[in-house]
């Protein structure tokens, strides 16, 4: 385990937590790296136990995926309906007839067919493009469907029932809002781990409360038609090919060294939530960007050695 922790410390990690079989195996917090203004924009206060509260970047997508699943359970959202049914027309720069064909499911699977500037690029449902600005429309859909603020939805449907007391949406500083997603989900490793345990338990929180129905939970992790390594705002291991967030396609799974049943919420600066049902395992990593460009693979080679 010391080799793994030394590696993580050397990669700018600020928070690391392993839960296996319902027990915390490892919990470690390190100071924030100094002289990194980009990382500093993602950092807020500290929790009572000393962990940093950080904007988890694109990991928020997987949290929103769960909120959409709850909205489906409540009968508020139907994923095959056009987005314009919820937020009105003119939300994109596509022609009206093109926009009308973009459904909620297309945004959830990053296959809207829109470019990052919301112009038409391809028919909806035909190509994968990891598109954060268009993803952010999902939050507008939730608010419109529930007729409540996103903060209220998140608290009532997810964070309060799961016991995530250090998680909340924050308005991002100007340096971050340019990515087209101006609200960040700020949380701590323990809260993210509680979220991961809920996923590990098939939609049931550690305290026994069911958050998502079995049916809605299952489809979150169905492989999308345009990228076998992606579900509904979740990354999936074990596929025959992978299209990454930057658009590169490769043969083989997302992380070769990791178990095939791994699902993951991934964010910038190598923010990681890994959930592995076959090993009853939840892993959280926060911090600055790792210098190792092969971080996920190298991390899992060390995890496998440490936990064997």
């Amino acid at each position: 385990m010391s080799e793994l922790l030394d590696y993580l410390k050397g990669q700018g990690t600020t928070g690391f937590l392993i839960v296996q079989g319902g027990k915390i195996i490892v919990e470690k917090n390190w100071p924030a790296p100094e002289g990194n203004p980009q990382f500093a924009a993602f950092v807020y206060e500290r929790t009572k136990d000393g962990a940093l509260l950080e904007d988890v970047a694109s990991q928020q997508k997987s949290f929103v995926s769960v909120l959409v699943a709850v909205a489906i359970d409540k009968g508020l959202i139907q994923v095959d309906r056009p987005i314009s049914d919820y937020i009105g027309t003119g939300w994109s720069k596509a022609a009206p007839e093109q926009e009308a064909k973009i459904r909620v499911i297309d945004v959830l699977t990053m296959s809207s067919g829109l470019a990052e500037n919301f112009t038409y690029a391809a028919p909806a449902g035909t190509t994968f493009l990891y598109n954060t600005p268009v993803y952010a429309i999902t939050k507008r859909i939730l608010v419109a469907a529930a007729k409540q603020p996103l903060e209220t939805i998140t608290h009532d449907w997810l964070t309060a029932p799961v016991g995530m007391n250090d998680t909340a949406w924050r308005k991002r500083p100007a340096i971050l809002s340019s990515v087209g997603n101006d609200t960040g989900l700020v949380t701590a490793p323990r809260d993210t781990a509680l979220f991961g345990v809920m996923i590990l338990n098939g939609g049931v929180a550690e305290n026994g409360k069911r958050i998502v129905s079995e049916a809605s939970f299952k489809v979150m992790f169905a492989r999308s038609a345009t990228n076998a390594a992606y579900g509904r705002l979740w990354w999936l291991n074990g596929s025959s090919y992978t299209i990454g967030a930057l658009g590169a396609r490769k043969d083989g799974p997302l992380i070769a060294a990791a178990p095939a049943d791994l699902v993951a919420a991934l964010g910038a600066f190598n923010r990681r939530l890994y959930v592995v049902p076959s090993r009853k395992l939840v892993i959280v990593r926060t911090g600055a960007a790792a210098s190792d460009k092969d971080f996920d693979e190298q991390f899992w080679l060390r995890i496998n050695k440490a936990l064997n």
Side-chain angles (χ1 to χ4, degrees), residues 3-290:
E3 180 185 347
L4 171 64
L5 294 176
D6 288 345
Y7 173 75
L8 288 167
K9 182 180 180 181
Q11 296 299 315
T13 304
T14 56
F16 180 63
L17 199 151
I18 301 177
V19 178
Q20 189 167 36
K23 297 180 180 179
I24 295 177
I25 304 299
V26 177
E27 183 175 20
K28 187 74 175 177
N29 296 308
W30 290 277
E34 297 180 358
N36 189 332
Q38 190 177 30
F39 172 72
F42 282 82
V43 180
Y44 291 78
E45 307 89 31
R46 287 186 179 273
T47 64
K48 293 178 181 178
D49 59 2
L52 284 173
L53 286 167
E54 299 181 22
D55 180 335
V56 293
S58 281
Q59 277 189 315
Q60 69 166 256
K61 295 180 173 78
S62 299
F63 289 77
V64 168
S65 177
V66 169
L67 295 176
V68 171
V70 176
I72 292 168
D73 288 338
K74 293 178 177 293
L76 300 174
I77 290 178
Q78 297 176 21
V79 296
D80 288 329
R81 286 177 59 181
I83 289 171
S84 56
D85 283 2
Y86 296 94
I87 63 173
T89 59
W91 60 270
S92 76
K93 296 178 183 177
E97 63 273 16
Q98 296 165 339
E99 181 183 280
K101 294 179 180 179
I102 305 173
R103 306 163 298 163
V104 175
I105 188 63
D106 298 321
V107 174
L108 294 175
T109 56
M110 297 290 182
S111 57
S112 68
L114 298 176
E116 289 187 339
N117 66 356
F118 287 81
T119 57
Y120 178 84
T126 64
T127 59
F128 179 86
L129 173 64
Y130 190 79
N131 192 330
T132 292
V134 171
Y135 142 77
I137 292 293
T138 309
K139 293 189 276 190
R140 287 178 56 189
I141 295 168
L142 277 164
V143 170
K147 297 180 174 60
Q148 296 182 83
L150 182 63
E151 293 79 6
T152 302
I153 294 167
T154 305
H155 175 270
D156 293 351
W157 297 1
L158 180 60
T159 58
V162 173
M164 299 162 62
N165 298 319
D166 291 312
T167 302
W169 293 99
R170 307 271 190 115
K171 186 76 172 178
R172 282 175 162 168
I175 191 174
L176 301 181
S177 60
S178 61
V179 300
N181 184 27
D182 63 358
T183 52
L185 189 70
V186 175
T187 187
R190 283 196 180 190
D191 270 19
T192 303
L194 285 171
F195 178 74
V197 168
M198 183 270 292
I199 296 298
L200 182 69
N201 293 340
V204 178
E206 186 179 55
N207 58 25
K209 295 180 182 177
R210 175 162 286 283
I211 308 302
V212 183
S213 71
E214 292 182 16
S216 291
F217 181 88
K218 183 177 180 180
V219 295
M220 276 199 298
F221 303 102
R223 299 187 187 277
S224 64
T226 56
N227 185 0
Y230 207 71
R232 295 185 180 183
L233 302 176
W234 282 92
W235 291 95
L236 313 175
N237 206 32
S239 56
S240 60
Y241 74 92
T242 299
I243 301 175
L246 299 180
R249 176 172 174 146
K250 69 171 185 177
D251 290 333
L254 181 70
I255 308 170
D261 64 332
L262 173 145
V263 301
L266 307 180
F269 299 125
N270 302 104
R271 281 149 163 68
R272 298 293 187 254
L273 167 62
Y274 306 113
V275 180
V276 185
S278 63
R279 297 174 68 173
K280 299 180 180 178
L281 187 63
V282 173
I283 300 175
V284 178
R285 186 267 180 190
T286 59

